[in-house]
Amino acid sequence: LGLRKAFRHCATSTASGKAFASSSFKNANAARSTLFQNWGHLRHLHLDRSSSFSASSSLGVRTISSLASKRALSSSAAAEEEVVYTEEEDETRKDLMKKELTFVRNGECLAFPYASKEDFLLLGKRGAYTTARSVGSNAVFEFEAHVERLVKTTRLMAKEDDSVLASEVSVQYLRPKLLESHGVGMKRFTEEFGDKEMKITTLLTWETNDFEVSTLVVPLGERPVQPVAVQIGGKPRKNALAKDSEWTRQRLELEQLAKAKDCNEVILVDDSGCLFEGLQTNFYVMKDGKLQTAGEGILEGTVRKLLLEECEKENIGVDLQPPRMDEMESWQGAFISSTSRLLLPVSEIFYTDASGEEKCKKFSPLDSQVLLLEQLILDRYRDESTVINDV
């Protein structure tokens, strides 16, 4: 407990998350180095069951497991009643989820070097990252796609910093490293916290001569329940094809926009009113019986790939032109997709019209085609997984 308090103190006293986020990339790395210097002699400690910063008691594990059983993974159509926790249950649930994490660097479990899980990408070195979800305790949804995404992003970033090492990374080189990192992290997380769905974020960084693979495993959490709202605002990314950790710092202000209105996501829009993607999601609308979503200027998520395949099977037309704000009244429905959300129908869209007036477009009831596609993804995603070695 004393070590935990000491670590917590040195991590939080170095600088606030807001100050880190607003600094340049160079300053962020300098702040990161200061953090490690302050942490000093604690850094060498490895995670084990007696000294883990994230370890919870067996009572805590049983408690959170029983709370999680209150809500099953279901479609929006089936979620007619929201699960209600007592105040005590809710506080216990939130407190335990904050402590549940496993951190792996280059295949070895280590003490987590940040004050909160959000700081992993915000304060770490700039690099290529991807976020996956587990399927059970020993498989990862669309694992191969995540390997390919890291390779593609690394090569794109290599063009900016002229890194020969990063430009030559390959799937053949990176795949076994991710298998090891995911496998070690998932196994330790399951041993510590029980059999539950996991959110697995991997950051690939590099120096002149070598790569560093860091993986953070945390509870996946629950899918949002209806009503789900999104906010339109913010410009599209300059390089949407690259999943660069710098984007997690750049989007902080927009994330605050979503929180202010209790929205699940912010949808990026250009000056002509074309809607591209969310901060962490792909965005779609149903218009004239067809699915419409941007085909360019976006990062194509793993769920998006499955969705387009399901549209072809169900003979649902697809229009790859970005949805336009001035056509919103003709939309039958809207939804977003991501690793954690899978396919999530949107019931409210907040936006500002040309005159500066704030408005809200509502979809009630939810469109039947949107609900069909949601269920198809829920039924299929477990089959699109790769068993991870040594788990």
Side-chain angles (χ1 to χ4, degrees):
L1 181 59
L3 291 177
R4 295 181 190 179
K5 288 182 177 178
F7 168 71
R8 219 174 266 127
H9 172 74
C10 73
T12 55
S13 63
T14 303
S16 67
K18 183 176 181 180
F20 277 117
S22 63
S23 64
S24 66
F25 173 61
K26 181 178 180 181
N27 289 339
N29 274 343
R32 177 180 177 274
S33 298
T34 304
L35 172 67
F36 284 151
Q37 289 169 8
N38 286 347
W39 191 32
H41 65 282
L42 299 180
R43 189 183 179 192
H44 73 280
L45 292 176
H46 291 185
L47 277 172
D48 58 41
R49 294 193 180 186
S50 61
S51 64
S52 169
F53 285 94
S54 58
S56 62
S57 67
S58 59
L59 175 61
V61 172
R62 289 196 296 272
T63 302
I64 196 67
S65 298
S66 64
L67 292 175
S69 68
K70 281 197 169 190
R71 177 177 289 150
L73 185 66
S74 60
S75 68
S76 297
E80 296 178 355
E81 295 184 8
E82 183 176 355
V83 173
V84 178
Y85 298 101
T86 66
E87 184 176 347
E88 183 179 359
E89 284 179 333
D90 195 47
E91 288 302 314
T92 300
R93 180 173 64 96
K94 291 178 180 178
D95 184 58
L96 287 173
M97 288 187 70
K98 287 179 183 177
K99 298 177 181 177
E100 292 180 314
L101 63 83
T102 297
F103 179 66
V104 180
R105 178 170 288 152
N106 292 336
E108 184 177 14
C109 283
L110 301 174
F112 188 55
Y114 304 107
S116 72
K117 60 186 179 183
E118 290 78 17
D119 291 343
F120 175 49
L121 295 178
L122 285 174
L123 306 185
K125 296 178 184 177
R126 183 181 176 185
Y129 80 99
T130 191
T131 300
R133 70 178 292 153
S134 72
V135 179
S137 61
N138 68 338
V140 171
F141 170 61
E142 288 284 358
F143 175 80
E144 308 301 338
H146 287 288
V147 177
E148 292 170 5
R149 172 181 288 171
L150 279 179
V151 170
K152 184 176 182 180
T153 297
T154 301
R155 289 177 176 174
L156 287 170
M157 291 178 66
K159 294 179 181 179
E160 295 181 14
D161 60 13
D162 297 321
S163 169
V164 175
L165 179 70
S167 66
E168 295 178 349
V169 69
S170 65
V171 170
Q172 291 75 17
Y173 170 82
L174 194 58
R175 187 178 187 276
K177 290 186 176 295
L178 255 67
L179 278 173
E180 177 187 42
S181 191
H182 285 200
V184 170
M186 291 170 66
K187 182 176 181 180
R188 174 59 61 85
F189 185 92
T190 301
E191 290 173 348
E192 294 277 352
F193 309 115
D195 188 1
K196 61 184 70 178
E197 297 286 315
M198 294 164 262
K199 179 180 178 181
I200 308 157
T201 302
T202 298
L203 175 65
L204 179 67
T205 58
W206 53 91
E207 301 293 344
T208 305
N209 299 317
D210 202 9
F211 287 102
E212 184 174 89
V213 180
S214 301
T215 295
L216 176 64
V217 183
V218 299
L220 182 64
E222 302 159 351
R223 288 182 76 231
V225 296
Q226 297 296 333
V228 170
V230 299
Q231 170 78 44
I232 293 177
K235 302 297 183 185
R237 288 185 279 177
K238 293 181 180 179
N239 188 4
L241 294 177
K243 195 144 186 178
D244 182 344
S245 63
E246 180 64 19
W247 171 239
T248 64
R249 292 177 269 271
Q250 295 172 357
R251 72 189 187 206
L252 277 178
E253 185 176 346
L254 291 174
E255 288 176 342
Q256 295 306 312
L257 175 66
K259 289 180 180 179
K261 293 194 174 180
D262 197 24
C263 291
N264 189 269
E265 178 64 297
V266 174
I267 308 302
L268 304 176
V269 58
D270 69 8
D271 292 334
S272 65
C274 291
L275 300 166
F276 286 84
E277 60 184 348
L279 301 179
Q280 303 179 58
T281 66
N282 289 123
F283 176 71
Y284 319 79
V285 303
M286 295 302 301
K287 180 175 176 286
D288 300 327
K290 293 183 179 180
L291 181 146
Q292 186 175 3
T293 185
E296 297 180 350
I298 63 168
L299 179 69
E300 299 180 10
T302 53
V303 177
R304 184 180 186 274
K305 171 178 170 288
L306 293 189
L307 173 64
L308 296 182
E309 292 175 1
E310 292 301 323
C311 284
E312 184 175 358
K313 291 179 184 178
E314 297 295 324
N315 294 316
I316 297 175
V318 176
D319 180 359
L320 294 180
Q321 296 300 312
R324 296 185 55 85
M325 287 185 64
D326 56 13
E327 297 176 351
M328 192 179 296
E329 291 307 312
S330 66
W331 297 351
Q332 301 155 224
F335 58 98
I336 54 180
S337 71
S338 71
T339 295
S340 60
R341 299 168 181 85
L342 296 176
L343 192 156
L344 188 63
V346 169
S347 52
E348 297 176 328
I349 300 179
F350 291 95
Y351 65 100
T352 303
D353 67 11
S355 67
E357 182 181 355
E358 292 190 1
K359 293 187 175 181
C360 179
K361 168 70 174 177
K362 296 188 177 184
F363 301 98
S364 182
L366 295 173
D367 180 66
S368 59
Q369 282 185 302
V370 173
L371 293 175
L372 169 64
L373 291 171
E374 179 192 26
Q375 191 59 56
L376 289 172
I377 296 300
L378 288 174
D379 290 342
R380 182 179 169 188
Y381 87 95
R382 292 183 177 277
D383 297 329
E384 304 298 324
S385 62
T386 299
V387 174
I388 302 302
N389 293 342
D390 302 323
V391 175

